[in-house]
Amino acid sequence: MPVQPGSLLRPLTLHAALLLAVSPFAPAVRSACGQDAPACPTSIRGTPAHSWFADELWAKVGRLKCLRCHRTGGDAADTAFVLQDPAASLDSSPQQILQHNLLAFAAAARLESDGHWLLLQKPLGELEHGGGSVLTADSTAHRLLVEFHSRVHAAPAAQNTPEQSPASAPQDVLTAARQPFFAGVTLANDQQVLRKAALSLAGRLPTDTELQQVAAGGRQALAEIILQLQHEEPYYQRLREAFNDIFLLLGVDGNPDSTVLSYEHFEKTRLWYQNHDLTQIADENERRQAGYRLANEYRQALLEEPLRLIEHIVRSERPFSEILTADYIMVSAYSARGYGVYDQLRPQFKNPDDPLEFLPVRLQALVGRNKSENQESASGFYPHAGLLSTFQYLSRYPTTETNRNRLRARMFYLHFLGVDVLELAARGSDAAAATARYPIPTMQAAECVVCHQTLDPVAGMFQDYWRFDANFSIYGRRKEGWFTDMFAAGFEGETLPPEDRWRALQWLAERTVRDPRFARTMAGHAWQMLTGRRPLQPPQDIDDPLFGAKLRAWEQQQCELDTISRRFIADGMNFRHLIRDWVLSDFYRAESLQSPDVTEERLAELADIGVVRLLSPEQLERKIVAVFGRPWGRLNEQTAMLYGGIDSKEVTERAVDPSGAMGAIQRTLANDVACRNTALDFSRPPTERLLFPDIEPDVVPGRTAAADARIRQTIAGLHQRILGRSDAVDSPEVQQTFQLFSAVVADAAATGRFEPQEIWHCRQGLQGPVPDPHYTVRAWRAVITYLLRQPEFLYE
């Protein structure tokens, strides 16, 4: 619901709700799709004719229905009607792609057979349409086809055939109807963005020096600091955490020493810890515990290897394409023992007893217990292909006799090309009928082919990893050879050459990183890392009254993705630059609407901008450290799961809205953190205090104007430190908190009798006694508790 200006409590559980907040701190509003790009959707459309095609026929029929098959690499790629996929190219402009598709539809509208118009009849499943029936005669989509067909045939060719380029048409046709996308949106200023980014990326508050640099240098200084933040050690922990949220690699079933490292190829080395010499530990129980710890650290090292690969690539400023093309893996001294390569690597480790110090290494080709299980390799090395060929990725997404690597293929498309293959076409309405009609439905039935022609070739690329029992083996070829009732191994219409069979995943990776969708997907992963949200998917329900608004939201985000992706490619695929560009974008800076008087359509357009999410347990713990100097220490294990964490197995999505249990944890956290830190801060010398450097417990409200001023100044400082709010000392927000502080002190005074110091639990660990004869220390604790319950602290 809307809140009034001056309210400290803002609704942050829904992205759209934030946009209703009226901010008194609205900086200048800019309208752009990226820092140096035009507003794409307006320039795409050009003339009214192009606008109608873009907003109606293309958005609601061409993209959603026709493009699935009528595209390069699609099932209808060999027909005369081939469309261009905007997602498959960063070289062609949106105008050029729209022009091509408009011409293709116009040409198709003129084709007829025996008095039947092909464009109108084929989508109904008539006239031998290879894609079968994709529309019904009474659907909105088919009515749009009829309308387009009428426009083509009703007017002179010069008008109905779009010969002129949209780029040459007037560019302001839609400006009257469409306001700039960020019009009326409050954008955070550079210093606010710096605080948000510093907490998100490095788990700390910005320094005074950094704030001064941004104040003096503006956007350029902010951009440089964002890059610097990504060189700090806490950033790499955040990076691994974010990419596990995407790939879920920590969710491998079973003990990784028995699943990641198989019995067939690592029989003699994978359980090395069971025979590790711990005789130097005399106490039997202590020795047993040390053995458990050794096994757990080894298993953790194995699980983290793929995430450490991502870290290594970013840390070393290597092209991010190496997440697929790296011809090495990362191993620690512990996991190296499991692979049987520790002896040769030992001199390279700084500390062989550190289970989480990692080095890049190329493994030799796998040698099985039986010669038939030896890995074929023309180079003599394991054919590493970044994450794709890691045993962890293959174990996390296993195969079965009936699945035939299709799960792996689906996740490949989703993780690295941003395509959910299951969304290419609706499920077949009658699988039994398709099976009865076609000998091989997945290769012959139109409703099956649309997915399987894309999915099955990539599934075939994993054919050398054909084992179902990971405890025994992951690598291994099917004895009968690969399936002949599947499309041949390959990628996007290109068939895998037989001589590259042994390095199939490398062959696949090389082509994937050249696909424009790869750069765009990595830009999407960076957005998810910053916001916790995946990029928008295009709306599907064309009868939704808000379809147009949702379409515009998706188009604008795609425009920003394309702009950032182009820079990403030009910069050598440096992942740090993706983060920098998103942080500098209006999508990240958006905070609220300057007026709550907006339409439902406008809210739908702006529903996914800005950073509005409940902090994860890990992020919240880091924020507590940033503000108070030490962690709460209880947002772990089961408490973390109750607070919306994931285990990467059964629970794979983080909670976005608080539950009752999470609310209880928030209350406990606020009470406990305030208790632990209020008196502790007063026990420090003033120059070392984080919360109360300019006030003492003997400053009591209501006694003098100077005392009240000092209290208000301290409150404003707490608002800034804890909430990130730049509230003036005479603001309603500060007055509200001042009233709370004064009321607590007054209530205590009214009782006439109370202990002259904090309760015992809140006095633990003090650097010295902190008398509280006026109850002000406990009143400040109440203030801290109150602030820790605010959305500005609990949300990002």
Side-chain angles (χ1 to χ4, degrees):
M1 64 180 179
V3 292
Q4 298 301 316
S7 170
L8 186 63
L9 183 62
R10 297 178 180 176
L12 297 175
T13 55
L14 295 175
H15 310 316
L18 176 65
L19 295 169
L20 288 173
V22 180
S23 172
F25 311 108
V29 175
R30 294 179 296 108
S31 174
C33 177
Q35 301 304 314
D36 52 13
C40 296
T42 297
S43 61
I44 286 173
R45 288 162 174 78
T47 67
H50 289 89
S51 298
W52 186 90
F53 176 79
D55 292 335
E56 299 295 332
L57 190 68
W58 174 248
K60 298 178 180 179
V61 183
R63 179 179 54 79
L64 293 179
K65 300 294 184 182
C66 307
L67 190 62
R68 292 169 176 173
C69 298
H70 290 271
R71 60 180 174 82
T72 302
D75 193 34
D78 57 350
T79 68
F81 182 49
V82 179
L83 304 168
Q84 288 186 0
D85 184 356
S89 175
L90 289 173
D91 298 325
S92 300
S93 69
Q95 296 96 324
Q96 292 170 328
I97 293 173
L98 187 72
Q99 176 77 353
H100 171 92
N101 293 337
L102 179 50
L103 289 171
F105 267 96
R110 298 189 188 91
L111 299 178
E112 61 176 312
S113 175
D114 297 328
H116 298 285
W117 296 108
L118 272 59
L119 183 65
L120 302 183
Q121 302 302 122
K122 284 204 169 195
L124 301 178
E126 303 172 3
L127 302 181
E128 298 182 359
H129 184 224
S133 176
V134 294
L135 300 178
T136 59
D138 60 346
S139 65
T140 301
H142 194 262
R143 287 196 294 270
L144 289 171
L145 275 180
V146 172
E147 170 66 15
F148 178 78
H149 187 270
S150 299
R151 289 182 177 220
V152 169
H153 289 272
Q159 296 182 32
N160 62 55
T161 305
E163 299 296 345
Q164 72 174 38
S165 168
S168 65
Q171 295 298 302
D172 59 348
V173 173
L174 292 180
T175 54
R178 286 194 173 191
Q179 60 181 321
F181 189 70
F182 286 97
V185 175
T186 300
L187 303 178
N189 62 41
D190 290 340
Q191 291 183 322
Q192 291 170 328
V193 170
L194 174 59
R195 175 189 166 95
K196 186 189 303 185
L199 282 168
S200 176
L201 300 175
R204 66 170 176 84
L205 298 174
T207 65
D208 291 340
T209 300
E210 290 170 336
L211 290 169
Q212 292 166 5
Q213 289 173 343
V214 169
R219 187 65 55 87
Q220 182 60 41
L222 176 61
E224 293 172 358
I225 293 173
I226 297 305
L227 291 178
Q228 293 168 9
L229 289 172
Q230 295 180 75
H231 287 276
E232 298 181 14
E233 282 304 312
Y235 170 74
Y236 297 111
Q237 178 184 354
R238 179 74 189 97
L239 182 76
R240 297 193 305 270
E241 178 185 290
F243 273 95
N244 182 66
D245 282 1
I246 295 168
F247 297 131
L248 302 173
L249 291 166
L250 297 180
V252 173
D253 281 336
N255 288 330
D257 52 316
S258 299
T259 53
V260 170
L261 299 184
S262 66
Y263 176 74
E264 177 64 38
H265 297 101
F266 301 100
E267 172 198 6
K268 298 179 179 179
T269 57
R270 65 177 186 164
L271 303 180
W272 62 270
Y273 61 90
Q274 294 181 352
N275 299 315
H276 193 68
D277 185 11
L278 296 173
T279 55
Q280 73 277 12
I281 303 175
D283 182 78
E284 180 180 353
N285 183 62
E286 185 180 348
R287 187 166 59 249
R288 184 184 305 108
Q289 294 302 317
Y292 294 153
R293 185 168 57 253
L294 187 70
N296 289 334
E297 290 173 343
Y298 168 46
R299 291 164 181 164
Q300 179 186 358
L302 281 171
L303 286 180
E304 287 197 16
E305 283 179 354
L307 300 174
R308 297 287 179 161
L309 172 63
I310 296 173
E311 176 189 333
H312 172 75
I313 292 167
V314 174
R315 187 186 289 269
S316 305
E317 305 275 3
R318 305 181 70 85
F320 203 63
S321 52
E322 284 196 12
I323 68 169
L324 288 181
T325 63
D327 63 348
Y328 57 90
I329 60 171
M330 304 300 293
V331 301
S332 76
Y334 283 28
S335 62
R337 291 179 170 94
Y339 289 110
V341 297
Y342 173 71
D343 290 339
Q344 66 194 67
L345 293 175
R346 182 174 182 175
Q348 300 181 46
F349 287 108
K350 297 177 182 179
N351 180 9
D353 294 324
D354 183 356
L356 298 179
E357 176 194 347
F358 288 84
L359 297 174
V361 63
R362 293 179 70 189
L363 297 179
Q364 297 292 320
L366 300 177
V367 177
R369 296 167 62 251
N370 303 300
K371 289 185 178 181
S372 61
E373 299 300 325
N374 289 352
Q375 184 176 36
E376 178 185 337
S377 172
S379 67
F381 288 99
Y382 184 86
H384 296 289
L387 296 178
L388 280 184
S389 61
T390 60
F391 300 125
Q392 293 86 345
Y393 193 87
L394 294 165
S395 297
R396 180 61 183 82
Y397 302 105
T399 189
T400 66
E401 181 71 40
T402 54
N403 180 263
R404 302 182 180 184
N405 284 330
R406 288 174 176 132
L407 171 62
R408 289 170 175 167
R410 184 201 169 202
M411 300 316 296
F412 158 80
Y413 268 104
L414 189 63
H415 287 155
F416 304 109
L417 294 174
V419 176
D420 189 345
V421 178
L422 296 184
E423 294 297 326
L424 291 178
R427 303 289 199 280
S429 58
D430 192 342
T435 302
R437 181 178 178 185
Y438 299 102
I440 309 176
T442 57
M443 300 180 71
Q444 297 168 321
E447 64 267 32
C448 302
V449 169
V450 66
C451 287
H452 284 274
Q453 191 173 47
T454 297
L455 195 68
D456 286 5
V458 173
M461 304 299 287
F462 290 90
Q463 62 185 279
D464 283 1
Y465 301 92
W466 181 251
R467 288 292 183 269
F468 313 136
D469 183 2
N471 286 296
F472 181 76
S473 181
I474 295 175
Y475 173 84
R477 297 185 171 187
R478 187 170 182 261
K479 293 180 180 179
E480 301 85 354
W482 194 239
F483 297 94
T484 58
D485 58 347
M486 294 176 66
F487 291 101
F491 176 65
E492 296 291 300
E494 185 178 0
T495 302
L496 174 70
E499 62 271 19
D500 285 321
R501 158 75 181 274
W502 69 276
R503 59 181 298 275
L505 294 182
Q506 291 180 336
W507 185 92
L508 175 64
E510 291 161 2
R511 282 148 182 80
T512 302
V513 298
R514 295 197 297 264
D515 191 305
R517 292 173 296 179
F518 174 77
R520 186 184 287 107
T521 303
M522 296 308 106
H525 289 341
W527 173 250
Q528 184 174 346
M529 176 176 170
L530 287 168
T531 68
R533 307 193 302 272
R534 297 182 180 90
L536 290 173
Q537 293 299 307
Q540 301 292 318
D541 182 4
I542 65 175
D543 294 314
D544 182 354
L546 297 177
F547 177 87
K550 295 176 181 178
L551 176 66
R552 189 184 187 204
W554 174 74
E555 285 180 332
Q556 287 287 338
Q557 191 183 76
Q558 288 297 301
C559 172
E560 191 74 31
L561 276 166
D562 287 349
T563 301
I564 290 175
S565 298
R566 290 188 184 96
R567 286 199 290 262
F568 177 54
I569 294 171
D571 292 342
M573 291 195 176
N574 188 321
F575 186 80
R576 299 186 207 274
H577 293 184
L578 286 179
I579 298 295
R580 176 201 62 192
D581 289 352
W582 273 121
V583 170
L584 296 178
S585 75
D586 291 351
F587 283 84
Y588 186 82
R589 302 166 71 92
E591 283 204 330
S592 64
L593 280 181
Q594 295 172 355
S595 169
D597 186 18
V598 292
T599 64
E600 187 178 3
E601 288 74 16
R602 185 63 172 150
L603 284 179
E605 286 183 349
L606 301 175
D608 203 64
I609 65 173
V611 181
V612 187
R613 65 164 166 175
L614 183 71
L615 290 173
S616 70
E618 299 89 345
Q619 289 177 299
L620 185 55
E621 193 72 88
R622 287 193 290 269
K623 190 171 187 178
I624 293 171
V625 174
V627 172
F628 297 99
R630 61 177 186 167
W632 183 34
R634 294 176 61 182
L635 280 171
N636 48 35
E637 298 178 351
Q638 292 302 314
T639 304
M641 292 297 295
L642 285 173
Y643 200 74
I646 64 173
D647 62 8
S648 303
K649 296 179 183 180
E650 286 81 15
V651 182
T652 59
E653 296 284 345
R654 293 189 180 272
V656 296
D657 293 311
S659 64
M662 294 166 73
I665 293 171
Q666 290 172 351
R667 290 191 293 273
T668 302
L669 179 153
N671 292 334
D672 203 18
V673 171
C675 171
R676 293 184 184 188
N677 289 281
T678 304
L680 173 63
D681 203 61
F682 277 115
S683 75
R684 298 168 176 146
T687 56
E688 298 178 10
R689 293 178 189 172
L690 301 176
L691 306 172
F692 307 105
D694 300 315
I695 202 165
E696 298 296 336
D698 60 359
V699 179
V700 181
R703 290 190 175 178
T704 65
D708 286 357
R710 289 179 65 187
I711 293 170
R712 293 178 188 277
Q713 189 64 50
T714 299
I715 289 172
L718 291 174
H719 281 199
Q720 175 61 48
R721 184 173 187 86
I722 298 175
L723 304 180
R725 293 177 57 90
S726 300
D727 293 326
V729 294
D730 58 351
S731 67
E733 290 83 1
V734 169
Q735 175 61 21
Q736 186 173 324
T737 307
F738 179 84
Q739 290 174 350
L740 169 65
F741 177 78
S742 299
V744 173
V745 173
D747 284 350
T751 65
R753 181 178 182 180
F754 53 82
E755 288 293 327
Q757 59 182 342
E758 253 285 20
I759 63 173
W760 179 86
H761 182 67
C762 300
R763 298 200 310 268
Q764 302 310 299
L766 301 185
Q767 294 185 11
V770 179
D772 189 22
H774 307 294
Y775 214 83
T776 52
V777 174
R778 281 160 284 192
W780 283 119
R781 171 157 64 89
V783 166
I784 300 297
T785 302
Y786 163 68
L787 295 180
L788 290 178
R789 293 291 308 280
Q790 300 308 308
E792 287 93 334
F793 182 78
L794 298 169
Y795 286 74
E796 180 182 44

